[in-house]
Amino acid sequence: IANWEQLIAKLSNKNLILISFFGAIIFGFVNLPSTFLISLSNFLLGPFSFLITAFFNEILYFTLLVALLTIVPQKGTIILVSSVRFLLNGILLGAMSPIILINLFVSVTGLEIGFWLAGKDLTSRLNCLILAILFGISDALSTWVDFQIGITFYRLFYADWYIWLMVGLGGFLYTFIGVLLGAQLGRHLQKVVN
């Protein structure tokens, strides 16, 4: 989606408010806790701290994102909610850099393509399963790209087993679980919205 004006014009005011609201909720329930927990979990668990932080970053994020997609199943919803989250994260926490923009681009592109391929009807269990697999693959790819950026720009070194553990567990499995939970939550929220 290259034209913001067309994207915003396609959505109703109600949907734009919902997207902004969910972007703020995702920031408040995902970014803030993970920012504060990451230091504590790194201290307690060392390299396995992602077992705790991935709960907020993956399961909770994808639960809320898919719940939103159930309510507003339109192209561009993911990029708008991710933009709100990115701007809040950058303004309030100072986490704005070219590296984060690259990660955002990779993530949003993969998720938008996955949402388009899975179909917009998230009330179907088959579509939810397909979406969970596609979002899991997309997030696993995004996690792998994040590692490659760290290796390339910061000259970091990781064991291969650790990279694949993070990609498989933190990237795919936690996302898969979050999508299934989000579809369930979205069905309940859809009843409230209607």
Side-chain angles (χ1 to χ4, degrees):
I1 308 226
N3 193 342
W4 286 95
E5 292 167 359
Q6 283 181 341
L7 174 63
I8 292 172
K10 281 188 341 185
L11 296 165
S12 68
N13 288 340
K14 174 186 142 190
N15 288 343
L16 288 171
I17 291 168
L18 268 173
I19 291 169
S20 299
F21 180 66
F22 266 82
I25 287 175
I26 289 171
F27 171 76
F29 284 97
V30 176
N31 290 65
L32 283 178
S34 67
T35 300
F36 295 118
L37 281 177
I38 199 161
S39 297
L40 180 64
S41 64
N42 281 340
F43 173 72
L44 295 174
L45 298 173
F48 298 103
S49 64
F50 75 92
L51 295 170
I52 292 174
T53 57
F55 174 79
F56 291 104
N57 289 335
E58 308 300 329
I59 293 178
L60 192 55
Y61 169 64
F62 281 99
T63 299
L64 294 170
L65 179 65
V66 172
L68 173 64
L69 290 174
T70 305
I71 299 168
V72 185
Q74 294 183 5
K75 183 174 72 172
T77 300
I78 296 170
I79 194 166
L80 287 175
V81 75
S82 297
S83 298
V84 169
R85 178 184 179 204
F86 170 75
L87 288 172
L88 285 171
N89 200 35
I91 292 169
L92 297 177
L93 297 177
M96 195 177 284
S97 72
I99 302 299
I100 293 175
L101 273 175
I102 293 170
N103 286 337
L104 180 70
F105 175 77
V106 170
S107 175
V108 166
T109 302
L111 294 176
E112 284 283 358
I113 291 170
F115 182 59
W116 179 75
L117 289 174
K120 295 180 180 180
D121 179 26
L122 295 181
T123 57
S124 162
R125 294 202 188 275
L126 179 62
N127 282 2
C128 288
L129 185 61
I130 292 170
L131 185 71
I133 292 169
L134 292 174
F135 273 19
I137 291 169
S138 172
D139 196 47
L141 176 66
S142 180
T143 303
W144 185 80
V145 167
D146 189 35
F147 270 108
Q148 297 310 312
I149 288 171
I151 290 168
T152 303
F153 289 124
Y154 301 120
R155 310 264 311 144
L156 299 175
F157 298 96
Y158 300 99
D160 288 340
W161 65 267
Y162 183 72
I163 293 173
W164 292 115
L165 181 68
M166 286 280 293
V167 167
L169 187 65
F172 183 82
L173 183 64
Y174 284 176
T175 301
F176 186 86
I177 293 168
V179 170
L180 296 179
L181 292 173
Q184 188 76 11
L185 176 64
R187 282 189 211 104
H188 294 299
L189 289 176
Q190 186 70 36
K191 293 174 188 172
V192 173
V193 169
N194 291 334

